[in-house]
Amino acid sequence: MINFIGTYDCKADTKGRVMIPVALKNQMSPILNQSFVIKRSVFQPCLELYPMEEWNLLMEKMNKKNRFKKKNNDFIRRFSAGVKVIEIDGTGRMLIPKNLVEIANISKEVVLSSAINIIEIWDKDSYEKVLEETAEDFAELAEEVMGDDGDDESYVS
């Protein structure tokens, strides 16, 4: 499993090509020759870039859902709407499909943000707005999500 680290500012050209910053490209080096899956996020106005191995693990989990339950079928259809397989070329560029550029409202300024095993792709203004909106609630969210998971290990000093 890969764990990405960092947030990177970059630019998209008029065709939706984004040059992956060197620091992120170095983290991706073991998987750069593989395909990636790009899709819209479920919760935020951004895109998600999955290494193919991570995507396949997620698809295994989703494939266990009972397709004779309408809500499962509806979820799978919506989740996979607009999903595309992309490559990162030899110069470290990825081409974001036009329909996904529009969905995420990506203009020239782009943020690539690590989210453990995937990369979120944001329009810079949208990213900063979401960070600002969630700043006040982050301490409460951190306590709720990480504070009492029944594990005695401490991750924060």
Side-chain angles (χ1 to χ4, degrees), residues 3-154:
N3 291 310
F4 297 112
I5 298 170
T7 301
Y8 307 90
D9 291 340
C10 38
K11 298 192 184 315
D13 68 14
T14 56
K15 294 181 180 179
R17 289 179 298 211
V18 174
M19 179 67 77
I20 303 210
V22 172
L24 182 56
K25 189 175 157 186
N26 289 342
Q27 292 179 56
M28 298 172 89
S29 65
I31 57 171
L32 273 177
N33 60 344
Q34 300 172 18
S35 297
F36 291 81
V37 173
I38 191 168
K39 66 173 285 306
R40 68 180 85 197
S41 173
V42 172
F43 298 108
Q44 297 294 338
C46 69
L47 304 175
E48 298 170 339
L49 183 69
Y50 288 78
M52 189 56 76
E53 184 177 327
E54 295 296 330
W55 180 257
N56 289 336
L57 290 172
L58 181 58
M59 291 300 98
E60 282 179 33
K61 183 176 180 179
M62 287 183 68
N63 197 36
K64 293 177 182 173
K65 301 293 178 193
N66 183 345
R67 295 273 182 97
F68 287 97
K69 288 187 176 180
K70 184 180 182 317
K71 69 179 180 181
N72 292 352
N73 234 11
D74 291 349
F75 172 78
I76 291 167
R77 181 182 314 107
R78 179 72 178 140
F79 183 84
S80 58
V83 169
K84 300 269 194 273
V85 174
I86 65 168
E87 307 290 329
I88 296 176
D89 71 17
T91 63
R93 289 184 309 184
M94 67 176 158
L95 175 62
I96 302 172
K98 188 170 181 62
N99 66 320
L100 293 177
V101 166
E102 292 170 4
I103 286 169
N105 197 31
I106 290 174
S107 56
K108 189 174 178 109
E109 301 292 321
V110 176
V111 172
L112 302 180
S113 178
S114 61
I116 305 174
N117 59 343
I118 67 170
I119 302 292
E120 293 181 337
I121 304 168
W122 290 82
D123 172 74
K124 186 172 180 152
D125 290 340
S126 298
Y127 181 74
E128 290 175 355
K129 182 179 176 189
V130 166
L131 283 183
E132 188 177 302
E133 289 172 352
T134 58
E136 290 181 25
D137 300 328
F138 184 68
E140 188 177 305
L141 179 64
E143 182 178 2
E144 185 177 329
V145 172
M146 299 299 292
D148 186 23
D149 60 3
D151 198 353
D152 289 337
E153 293 184 42
S154 175

